[in-house]
Amino acid sequence: MIDEKINIKKPETQFGNADAANHVTGRSIYVDDIPAIEGMLYLRIFDSPIAHGKIKKIDYAEAEQTEGVVKIFSYKDIPGENQIGGIFPDEPLLADEEVHFCGQPVLIIAAENDDAAEEALHKIKIEIDPLPVITDPRIAFAQNKLLSPSRKFKIGDTTTAFAQCKYIFEGRTETNGQEHLYLETQGAYAYPTEHDSVKIFSSTQGPTQVQRTAARVLGVGMNKVEVDVSRLGGGFGGKEDQASAWATMAALVAYLLKRPAKCILHRMEDMRMTGKRNPYSSDYKIGLDDNYNILAYEATFYQNGGAAADLSPAILERTLFHCTNSYFVPNVTATAHSCKTNLPPNTAFRGFGGPQGMFVIEAAIDHAAKNLGVDASVIQRKNMMDDGNEMPYGQIIKNAEAKDCWDQVTVKCDIEAIKKDINDFNSQNDLIKKGVALMPVCFGISFTNTMMNHARALVHVYSDGSVGVSTGAVEMGQGVNSKMIQVAAKTLGISTDRIKLESTNTTRVANTSPSAASSTADLNGKALLHACNQVNERLYSFVKTEIAGDTECIVEIKDEQVYINGEATVHHWKSIVQQVFTKRINLSAKGHYATPVIHFDKSIEKGHPFAYHVYGTAIIRATVDCLRGTYEIDAVHAVHDAGTSINHLVDLGQCEGGIVQGIGWMTMEEVVYNEEGRLLSNALSTYKIPDIYSVPKELTVDFLNTDKNNLAIQKSKAVGEPPLMYGIGAFFAIRNAVIAFNPKSTIKYNAPITPEKVLMGLYSSNE
Ligand code: LUZ
Ligand code: MOS
């Protein structure tokens, strides 16, 4: 029995979060807390009031006369290129002749104070000849409006496979966008420095992206732009690419006027001007044999990209990589189109297209299950991937934990008892119904763009034994700083108290990839490991020659004490460092890491793009009030593959937060644009995110205790994004409760499953 095999990891007391104390005492510094230098200008952005059109006339002469206003900038004032596109050069910093979305920046107002800037904003007059507005990706596709070439992943042959299927089901799904709603809105602060340079403090996940973009717009070398990031009040993908515009605006004003400048978006501006998770409209066709083996799967994804490519082409790719989730399907054809619409450019959001892909196959399986009269979990478990399976993109699965996670959580929670309880409850209650769903997750770890999987770290051991660590990792609340301190402390054999983690700065660590793709701790941690090992080598070699007098002996520093051949000595970290320093030995090191093994050939859409995969399964239960259409998520229990977690609390926090954020996306967060492309859900009064009351009453995450070799940092697997996708189970749990009330319901696979949709679904019928 599996019972005996339960090897769920118990939490240990250990190093927690390096930032927690400063956060709760208000000492942590965010961009808007940086003490302003005298003469700082406040920036406000005039953005397009309509979603598509030709600018006929724009008049800001009067606005510029407003008392306190220093200057208003248009695209004509840009010394370099008016271009901020990351993957493709298709996005101006400031609109020139046309506007392509409502909220597109047109002018920058620089003023002595925010009130003056705000006053000027209202005096600007713009005339735009409207052009047709497209908000629907399928309409954009029909008109051949694409942001990037379409992609197709293929394994086996679906055409012949469907001919052998006993059961075939086809349908359509919709997943909506998601507003990042980081607590700290987008913003940056910049000031001019010597030699025609600028220094930017930015709330960005991608300091190098900000540096590159600002340099391009200013028309200077990247060496003239220094970007510094202490931490973000949340990113969630929204600041992977989209922090660059505001940082570049602040840099532009600082560079041209030679004065400090700050550009911080107000909440409603942030919601209006920035892109969100890409909504998708998708078609599926699933084929099964007699025994419920999935033989064939076809999917077509229409991604709503918005008005510019931004990261959408990469997100599209990750959708294809995750289109079969945790299942092995021998015949797959998946096609994806990145469609150009007149919405703000949609962008990275935790999961990066993966969740959108997974939702579709989960819907297809649910569709099949409902028609075949079996529980979806039967089909899910039956088709779960295993070692040796080939993914549609060519990677052969190794160290699969999919079945193990599933089996452990279903045994631990006794899924059969849960199902029976729910059936009993539902047969005894007419107006309240319960539902349960299982949600497995398999998420690939690495940037899908192989070239981005590298990082560097810089370690300085000071002559007093204290240590300064710089990496390319950006702390955005995910706890990466804590992990970096742990990696350095463990590798050097010293206390975490000795280590200071420096801000992320482009002059100390250059050419970084953004903190994204769940890969930040892995990539930067490994680079840091490498740097620390170089320092160790020098210290150890000093001990061998100068103290032990034996170059063959084994030296180790543990808990700050020096050991020779396993024996404790009177020497310790601090004394050795001081001696090494007097011998003029280098106490600094730079580490570099590039993920080995990975590769991908886009011309054939095959390769081995991921360092490894993260697995898990969650059981989600919901209760629906069938009079009102309201619901509650009763419980989420997950068994999650964390490898050998180096920080249980940080990883648990990521899991809990990710699950709740995923539930939000699936159930209540509804991004609404009207037909004119204007955002209606433009404030916290009209956009509902999960609050403490929407957190499931029971929420447990157990870590699967695995100790297999992988490419994770100290075997501690990436945890940032995968847990979000457990939230997809909430959709199906609620939907199952609706079906329990009304088996003829026509409720669609259309997320989010808001109370309105639930209410309509409860009383809908196809008869
Ligand atoms: N960003 C990116 C990401 O550029 N490539 C990725 O594969 C990715 N995956 C997740 C989140 N951000
Ligand atoms: Mo991300 S969606 O890893 O910035």
Side-chain angles (χ1 to χ4, degrees):
M1 266 303 291
I2 298 153
D3 247 320
E4 289 150 32
K5 230 183 84 197
I6 289 223
N7 61 348
I8 284 164
K9 193 176 185 182
K10 296 273 174 304
E12 300 159 21
T13 343
Q14 57 174 337
F15 186 70
N17 189 308
D19 283 334
N22 278 346
H23 283 356
V24 296
T25 53
R27 290 182 175 91
S28 299
I29 293 186
Y30 297 86
V31 170
D32 208 14
D33 303 322
I34 297 171
I37 295 178
E38 202 177 323
M40 188 188 76
L41 297 169
Y42 292 77
L43 309 189
R44 287 298 284 274
I45 299 153
F46 177 80
D47 59 305
S48 174
I50 74 162
H52 195 194
K54 270 200 176 2
I55 300 178
K56 236 167 61 183
K57 201 168 149 224
I58 180 154
D59 177 5
Y60 53 90
E62 189 202 335
E64 210 166 24
Q65 297 308 311
T66 309
E67 194 188 331
V69 169
V70 176
K71 186 172 165 57
I72 297 181
F73 297 84
S74 78
Y75 74 95
K76 291 180 184 146
D77 300 300
I78 291 173
E81 254 185 280
N82 180 23
Q83 185 51 249
I84 62 167
I87 298 182
F88 295 123
D90 68 349
E91 189 179 355
L93 177 71
L94 297 172
D96 41 34
E97 271 123 45
E98 284 193 12
V99 288
H100 295 273
F101 63 93
C102 209
Q104 181 174 356
V106 183
L107 302 169
I108 309 166
I109 302 163
E112 304 286 353
N113 57 70
D114 197 38
D115 288 345
E118 162 104 33
E119 195 185 329
L121 206 52
H122 298 293
K123 295 184 186 161
I124 293 167
K125 297 186 195 78
I126 190 164
E127 283 175 44
I128 302 175
D129 273 340
L131 290 164
V133 172
I134 299 175
T135 59
D136 180 331
R138 291 192 190 246
I139 294 174
F141 179 76
Q143 297 182 15
N144 204 24
K145 291 191 191 308
L146 295 178
L147 290 165
S148 59
S150 297
R151 305 277 295 270
K152 192 186 285 293
F153 281 19
K154 226 170 133 44
I155 186 167
D157 177 356
T158 41
T159 314
T160 40
F162 275 121
Q164 290 152 17
C165 289
K166 171 118 190 233
Y167 310 109
I168 295 176
F169 303 97
E170 287 181 74
R172 175 169 170 163
T173 71
E174 311 282 339
T175 51
N176 201 347
Q178 186 173 23
E179 163 63 44
H180 301 87
L181 224 94
Y182 21 62
L183 274 181
E184 180 198 28
T185 55
Q186 300 270 6
Y189 169 57
Y191 57 78
T193 53
E194 278 185 28
H195 309 298
D196 253 347
S197 304
V198 284
K199 178 162 183 174
I200 308 173
F201 297 86
S202 165
S203 180
T204 179
Q205 293 171 238
T208 292
Q209 190 56 25
V210 165
Q211 180 191 27
R212 188 181 290 125
T213 309
R216 183 180 201 174
V217 171
L218 299 187
V220 300
M222 283 169 75
N223 61 353
K224 295 205 165 180
V225 180
E226 174 184 353
V227 180
D228 192 279
V229 184
S230 284
R231 67 174 56 71
L232 323 187
F236 309 114
K239 297 167 182 171
E240 182 174 335
D241 211 53
Q242 297 209 353
S244 300
W246 336 107
T248 300
M249 290 178 194
L252 180 74
V253 172
Y255 181 78
L256 292 176
L257 296 183
K258 298 288 174 244
R259 287 178 66 171
K262 182 147 95 176
C263 180
I264 308 258
L265 299 192
H266 293 230
R267 178 64 66 186
M268 287 177 76
E269 291 172 335
D270 189 306
M271 293 179 84
R272 184 171 80 230
M273 296 182 193
T274 67
K276 320 199 177 304
R277 182 190 289 286
N278 296 85
Y280 276 62
S281 182
S282 312
D283 297 318
Y284 62 80
K285 180 175 174 185
I286 191 167
L288 302 91
D289 70 9
D290 248 352
N291 297 314
Y292 304 147
N293 293 307
I294 305 172
L295 295 187
Y297 179 63
E298 278 179 8
T300 307
F301 301 99
Y302 300 90
Q303 178 198 54
N304 192 334
D310 193 272
L311 291 164
S312 288
I315 294 162
L316 191 79
E317 181 173 76
R318 193 172 272 280
T319 300
L320 291 173
F321 282 118
H322 291 82
C323 72
T324 52
N325 192 13
S326 307
Y327 310 108
F328 170 63
V329 184
N331 301 285
V332 177
T333 305
T335 313
H337 309 292
S338 187
C339 308
K340 181 175 175 173
T341 58
N342 298 108
L343 300 182
N346 287 315
T347 193
F349 196 128
R350 204 173 191 174
F352 205 75
Q356 291 98 317
M358 289 181 192
F359 180 83
V360 182
I361 190 153
E362 292 302 328
I365 289 173
D366 187 75
H367 182 171
K370 295 280 181 295
N371 279 267
L372 297 172
V374 293
D375 201 273
S377 60
V378 174
I379 303 177
Q380 288 173 307
R381 178 63 179 81
K382 178 125 214 172
N383 292 280
M384 203 132 282
M385 59 163 65
D386 229 328
D387 279 9
N389 287 157
E390 184 178 346
M391 300 298 278
Y393 47 91
Q395 185 158 347
I396 309 293
I397 290 298
K398 228 178 84 187
N399 294 338
E401 316 286 0
K403 287 180 177 167
D404 210 14
C405 289
W406 175 285
D407 293 346
Q408 302 246 2
V409 77
T410 49
V411 168
K412 185 191 176 224
C413 299
D414 197 348
I415 185 69
E416 293 314 318
I418 291 176
K419 284 181 190 165
K420 185 175 177 303
D421 283 353
I422 287 181
N423 281 337
D424 290 351
F425 180 93
N426 286 348
S427 59
Q428 287 156 21
N429 289 275
D430 290 336
L431 289 177
I432 300 177
K433 297 288 182 190
K434 289 185 185 289
V436 60
L438 279 93
M439 181 64 199
V441 168
C442 166
F443 196 78
I445 303 301
S446 287
F447 286 94
T448 57
N449 181 358
T450 302
M451 173 262 144
M452 293 171 79
N453 294 284
H454 60 105
R456 276 151 303 283
L458 174 65
V459 172
H460 292 316
V461 176
Y462 294 97
S463 56
D464 66 352
S466 64
V467 178
V469 168
S470 302
T471 76
V474 169
E475 174 63 50
M476 47 186 144
Q478 86 280 44
V480 73
N481 281 2
S482 308
K483 288 190 176 177
M484 292 305 103
I485 290 172
Q486 285 180 273
V487 167
K490 186 164 178 202
T491 313
L492 297 172
I494 60 176
S495 159
T496 52
D497 295 340
R498 279 207 195 273
I499 298 166
K500 179 180 177 223
L501 204 87
E502 306 288 355
S503 64
T504 315
N505 185 295
T506 53
T507 64
R508 262 179 276 120
V509 178
N511 303 322
T512 58
S513 287
S515 284
S518 305
S519 302
T520 314
D522 278 0
L523 297 174
N524 292 279
K526 294 235 172 176
L528 179 55
L529 200 71
H530 187 226
C532 292
N533 279 332
Q534 293 173 52
V535 171
N536 281 347
E537 262 172 51
R538 295 184 213 134
L539 296 181
Y540 293 1
S541 120
F542 171 84
V543 172
K544 284 178 193 173
T545 53
E546 306 288 320
I547 292 177
D550 169 12
T551 53
E552 299 299 305
C553 71
I554 294 165
V555 175
E556 199 188 355
I557 299 177
K558 235 173 30 190
D559 300 329
E560 311 225 329
Q561 193 157 17
V562 179
Y563 289 74
I564 297 176
N565 291 328
E567 304 253 328
T569 69
V570 296
H571 303 278
H572 52 85
W573 167 261
K574 200 167 161 173
S575 64
I576 292 300
V577 165
Q578 277 163 352
Q579 292 179 61
V580 163
F581 172 66
T582 61
K583 296 284 177 195
R584 302 184 296 172
I585 293 167
N586 181 5
L587 281 167
S588 297
K590 192 98 193 226
H592 169 82
Y593 176 74
T595 315
V597 184
I598 54 171
H599 57 87
F600 193 71
D601 181 349
K602 272 193 186 185
S603 69
I604 50 169
E605 304 284 26
K606 296 281 180 200
H608 187 106
F610 298 119
Y612 58 91
H613 292 80
V614 168
Y615 302 88
T617 292
I619 300 175
I620 296 100
R621 287 185 273 155
T623 301
V624 172
D625 178 330
C626 301
L627 261 187
R628 297 179 179 84
T630 53
Y631 49 73
E632 277 183 53
I633 307 299
D634 302 318
V636 177
H637 298 292
V639 168
H640 180 82
D641 159 34
T644 307
S645 173
I646 57 172
N647 193 319
H648 189 92
L649 285 176
V650 162
D651 288 352
L652 187 63
Q654 284 297 295
C655 287
E656 292 177 349
I659 288 169
V660 174
Q661 194 167 39
I663 292 173
W665 173 51
M666 278 286 111
T667 64
M668 67 184 78
E669 298 187 41
E670 196 167 32
V671 177
V672 183
Y673 290 94
N674 69 9
E675 278 174 11
E676 285 93 54
R678 184 184 301 276
L679 182 67
L680 301 181
S681 52
N682 64 351
L684 282 159
S685 51
T686 45
Y687 186 75
K688 177 84 185 89
I689 65 156
D691 56 21
I692 192 67
Y693 300 106
S694 18
V695 173
K697 280 177 287 205
E698 279 177 58
L699 175 54
T700 65
V701 180
D702 293 302
F703 290 156
L704 191 74
N705 196 8
T706 60
D707 187 30
K708 298 178 187 163
N709 270 329
N710 56 38
L711 289 169
I713 178 68
Q714 296 172 343
K715 294 189 184 173
S716 184
K717 282 188 162 188
V719 72
E721 296 171 288
L724 179 129
M725 284 148 271
Y726 296 134
I728 293 173
F731 179 96
F732 293 96
I734 293 168
R735 193 177 185 281
N736 287 342
V738 171
I739 306 270
F741 177 82
N742 173 10
K744 294 206 166 73
S745 171
T746 57
I747 188 162
K748 296 188 171 131
Y749 295 110
N750 186 344
I753 187 161
T754 57
E756 289 84 352
K757 284 189 203 143
V758 169
L759 191 64
M760 302 298 278
L762 287 165
Y763 298 97
S764 65
S765 161
N766 46 14
E767 282 167 9

